[in-house]
Amino acid sequence: MAADARALPALVRAPPAAGRGKRRARAFAFRLLDGGGFVILFVNSRATRAKNRRFPLSIMSLGAALPPDTTWEIVDGNLPGADVFAEICRWIDGQAGGGDPVELIALTVLPGPQLVSAVPLSKALKQRYPSIPIVWGGYFPSLYPAPVLNADHVDWIVQGQGETTFLELLEVVRGKRDPESVLGLGFRRPDGSHFLAPERKWVGPAELPDPPYHKIDVAAYLQPTILGRRSGVYQASIGCPYACSFCGVISVYGRREKVQSPERMREHLSFLATAHGMDSLHFYDNNFFLNEAHAREIAKAMLPLGLSWWCEARVDALCRFSDETWRMLKAAGLRMIFCGAESGSDEVLRKMSKGTTTAQIAEVAARTREYGIIPEFSFVFGDPEDPEREIDNTLHFIRRLKAINPAMELITYFYTPTPQRAGTYGDVDPLTGTPTELDTWMEPEWVHWMTHEDPHLPWLDRRLKDRVDDFRTVLMSRFPSIHDNELRPWGKVLGSWLARGRWAREDYAQPRLLRHVQRLARRTPDDRQAYGHLRPPAETEVPA
């Protein structure tokens, strides 16, 4: 480990001071886990290239919520050279002969590449160790519980926030509790039917223990990014109070957001900076600034740390910030801000229940230019009612934003209907036609659906998708992204020169030459094995 637990400040080694209610909850946790003598394995199956690995925050939080005398370990498939299956087997086999056997294997599973890694891993583990329960948590089982419960290699699912549900699941596994009494828990009954408990009222990060950085090799996760040489990640809040009708966060958490104090956040980040040399970070909050007063508190907390940082924020909130607040955020290290612009049409933004306008998006583009902060704007293409008109409006609007702020970074994706609590954008059924079996979700068609790369939708044909892709090729050639470290400098210069005329004429059709330059200038070929669904079987974590 990068740091011995004894050298850590108290805030990292132990939960924060608790009031009477928290003491009762912690005492309950000790009672239900009384007896110990077991090991719990938290698994972060492969989701990305090793160079893009980040702190496994979700499973760190789960482990931190366990009583201090509980033995738990993290197995992270995103680390370089990780062989997740072999490492888990070493743990299970190594503990089998002693008094502390592995009691439970818990996987966090996001839609997309991580799902594709988790399925064969779970199958192989269940085949080799049929008596050890496997539980899935995270966004995929929360959004799509039915196909997970149809899989005989998954015994339990945890929907929504998992810290308390997981504690109570351990009592179920030990035969001390009726599983139907555990909020947020799902499982198959003996007759094959599914049981899904009501959702659990979740808590904010201030009510949870401090991150257990001593359980990971912190230095192994501090990787170079455009923000710095040793970039980390952090999440200061949970949830989002808005009602966008295409968002999975709202589906899982509802319209609530809970934050911790900027001072507590500062303590954690100060530890990472001083003890481990972290010089920059990405905040994973879905909505980082509650309001202007909160933004100023964050700026004051961040200022003495000297970190460069990235966050996500709403354009309507940013429009309400004074010049002084913008200056404070810039001085505090804010270098890049991500905003879900989503569309160049006010009509479509209303259909999305976005609550923002194109005028506000344009204002944020101007304000970020004024203060030297790079804006990232994401756009979702594929309005179910009139996709062609929506695409036309949005492409013209992106050109307008690029003129307002040439430093603007563009992120594009195609609309994939996601299960919602209320109405879905476009009034479409998000579950119609989706797979009922996990093996089907692993197929490239459905991975492209989950990652918004190329969803097969009746209202979005190949011609319209190609138009968006061609536009993006021309734009990214004319204005190379600061994120693209794989494209050699000569390729950026040549591509920008070749795309100059096309961009001026608004000619995006079939930019074959630009794509050819991008392929030739790339330092390494496009990695078609970057994600689980494209790796040949022999290269997965599970031996053939």
Side-chain angles (χ1 to χ4, degrees):
M1 296 295 176
D4 189 284
R6 293 169 296 182
L8 299 178
L11 67 92
V12 179
R13 282 188 278 110
R20 183 180 303 172
K22 293 180 184 177
R23 283 195 296 269
R24 284 199 301 265
R26 192 166 295 119
F28 167 73
F30 276 104
R31 288 198 304 273
L32 81 88
L33 294 173
D34 183 46
F38 295 101
V39 175
I40 298 165
L41 297 182
F42 291 108
V43 181
N44 192 30
S45 54
R46 186 185 181 195
T48 186
R49 299 176 179 91
K51 69 176 183 179
N52 296 328
R53 61 191 181 275
R54 299 291 183 262
F55 298 149
L57 295 178
S58 61
I59 53 180
M60 288 170 64
S61 181
L62 284 173
L66 297 174
D69 61 348
T70 303
T71 302
W72 60 276
E73 296 295 335
I74 294 174
V75 180
D76 192 349
N78 295 312
L79 291 172
D83 186 333
V84 176
F85 182 77
E87 187 172 349
I88 293 173
C89 290
R90 281 195 295 271
W91 265 104
I92 296 174
D93 297 341
Q95 298 294 123
D100 300 318
V102 171
E103 179 183 28
L104 194 69
I105 303 171
L107 290 82
T108 181
V109 185
L110 286 167
Q114 191 167 52
L115 169 75
V116 180
S117 297
V119 171
L121 176 62
S122 299
K123 284 183 176 180
L125 290 170
K126 180 56 67 175
Q127 181 176 6
R128 182 160 175 169
Y129 307 104
S131 64
I132 299 180
I134 293 177
V135 55
W136 276 25
Y139 271 91
F140 188 85
S142 295
L143 292 172
Y144 303 98
V148 184
L149 294 178
N150 285 335
D152 58 9
H153 50 274
V154 180
D155 300 289
W156 309 93
I157 66 169
V158 172
Q159 292 188 286
Q161 190 178 52
E163 283 78 358
T164 303
T165 301
F166 192 82
L167 280 171
E168 296 179 4
L169 171 60
L170 292 179
E171 194 175 30
V172 170
V173 170
R174 293 167 184 174
K176 300 178 181 179
R177 185 176 183 135
D178 178 0
E180 295 194 11
S181 70
V182 179
L183 298 178
L185 189 65
F187 59 92
R188 283 184 310 281
R189 294 188 177 97
D191 63 1
S193 63
H194 297 174
F195 174 83
L196 290 172
E199 68 178 314
R200 178 181 297 278
K201 183 178 179 180
W202 53 277
V203 300
E207 301 171 73
L208 296 172
D210 295 289
Y213 293 114
H214 61 288
K215 296 293 290 189
I216 62 171
D217 181 356
V218 172
Y221 290 93
L222 298 179
Q223 297 299 304
T225 69
I226 60 170
L227 297 174
R229 295 185 59 81
R230 296 174 65 81
S231 290
V233 296
Y234 189 80
Q235 187 161 352
S237 68
I238 300 173
C240 178
Y242 296 95
C244 306
S245 58
F246 56 86
C247 178
V249 175
I250 307 303
S251 302
V252 174
Y253 289 100
R255 294 182 60 183
R256 290 177 292 167
E257 181 174 8
K258 296 188 178 183
V259 304
Q260 63 183 321
S261 70
E263 177 58 26
R264 184 173 187 247
M265 173 194 76
R266 186 199 64 76
E267 290 179 359
H268 295 165
L269 298 180
S270 178
F271 165 74
L272 291 171
T274 56
H276 296 284
M278 185 181 75
D279 61 8
S280 50
L281 79 156
H282 289 68
F283 284 101
Y284 277 1
D285 304 61
N286 300 112
N287 178 55
F288 193 50
F289 303 124
L290 293 179
N291 49 47
E292 184 171 14
H294 182 238
R296 293 170 75 95
E297 289 180 17
I298 288 174
K300 291 176 183 177
M302 294 295 296
L303 181 61
L305 299 179
L307 301 173
S308 297
W309 47 282
W310 173 105
C311 71
E312 181 175 347
R314 294 263 305 186
V315 295
D316 50 351
L318 295 174
C319 286
R320 292 190 285 269
F321 288 5
S322 65
D323 291 341
E324 177 61 22
T325 298
W326 279 101
R327 284 192 289 268
M328 289 177 66
L329 291 170
K330 174 67 175 179
L334 177 59
R335 297 293 176 263
M336 181 175 289
I337 192 161
F338 175 97
C339 298
E342 316 308 4
S343 178
S345 163
D346 287 328
E347 176 188 355
V348 172
L349 290 172
R350 285 191 294 270
K351 289 195 292 185
M352 293 176 171
S353 302
K354 183 67 185 176
T356 57
T357 66
T358 54
Q360 291 170 331
I361 299 168
E363 181 179 345
V364 169
R367 298 295 292 278
T368 50
R369 181 176 185 176
E370 180 180 356
Y371 292 100
I373 297 168
I374 299 172
E376 282 186 317
F377 291 123
S378 70
F379 290 89
V380 52
F381 294 93
D383 174 43
E385 295 180 6
D386 193 348
E388 188 157 10
R389 184 163 71 106
E390 182 269 328
I391 288 172
D392 186 63
N393 288 335
T394 298
L395 296 186
H396 280 92
F397 184 62
I398 292 171
R399 288 184 61 94
R400 178 185 165 197
L401 292 177
K402 200 67 177 172
I404 295 172
N405 190 341
M408 181 204 88
E409 290 283 325
L410 175 66
I411 296 172
T412 64
Y413 60 98
F414 295 110
Y415 174 48
T416 300
T418 301
Q420 298 292 315
R421 291 169 178 259
T424 304
Y425 167 42
D427 294 325
V428 296
D429 183 349
L431 295 178
T432 297
T434 57
T436 59
E437 304 295 331
L438 286 181
D439 284 351
T440 308
W441 277 106
M442 292 176 61
E443 295 175 359
E445 172 188 347
W446 289 103
V447 176
H448 291 155
W449 168 282
M450 291 183 281
T451 56
H452 309 284
E453 293 178 13
D454 187 15
H456 293 182
L457 300 164
W459 61 84
L460 191 61
D461 60 31
R462 184 73 264 165
R463 175 182 60 88
L464 294 177
K465 292 178 184 177
D466 287 345
R467 186 178 177 194
V468 174
D469 289 340
D470 290 348
F471 172 87
R472 191 175 186 279
T473 296
V474 174
L475 183 147
M476 300 298 281
S477 296
R478 180 69 185 91
F479 308 100
S481 171
I482 61 172
H483 293 288
D484 192 354
N485 294 321
E486 287 295 315
L487 200 63
R488 292 184 174 90
W490 69 262
K492 293 183 178 181
V493 173
L494 179 58
S496 182
W497 181 77
L498 291 172
R500 183 189 300 267
R502 276 182 170 270
W503 182 256
R505 297 190 305 271
E506 301 187 31
D507 175 14
Y508 318 119
Q510 299 180 340
R512 297 189 185 92
L513 179 58
L514 296 179
R515 289 196 172 106
H516 184 61
V517 169
Q518 289 180 348
R519 284 193 295 270
L520 289 177
R522 197 150 296 281
R523 297 182 192 276
T524 56
D526 287 340
D527 184 4
R528 292 188 56 79
Q529 298 175 13
Y531 299 120
H533 67 291
L534 296 176
R535 283 180 283 153
E539 295 186 21
T540 64
E541 293 99 333
V542 183

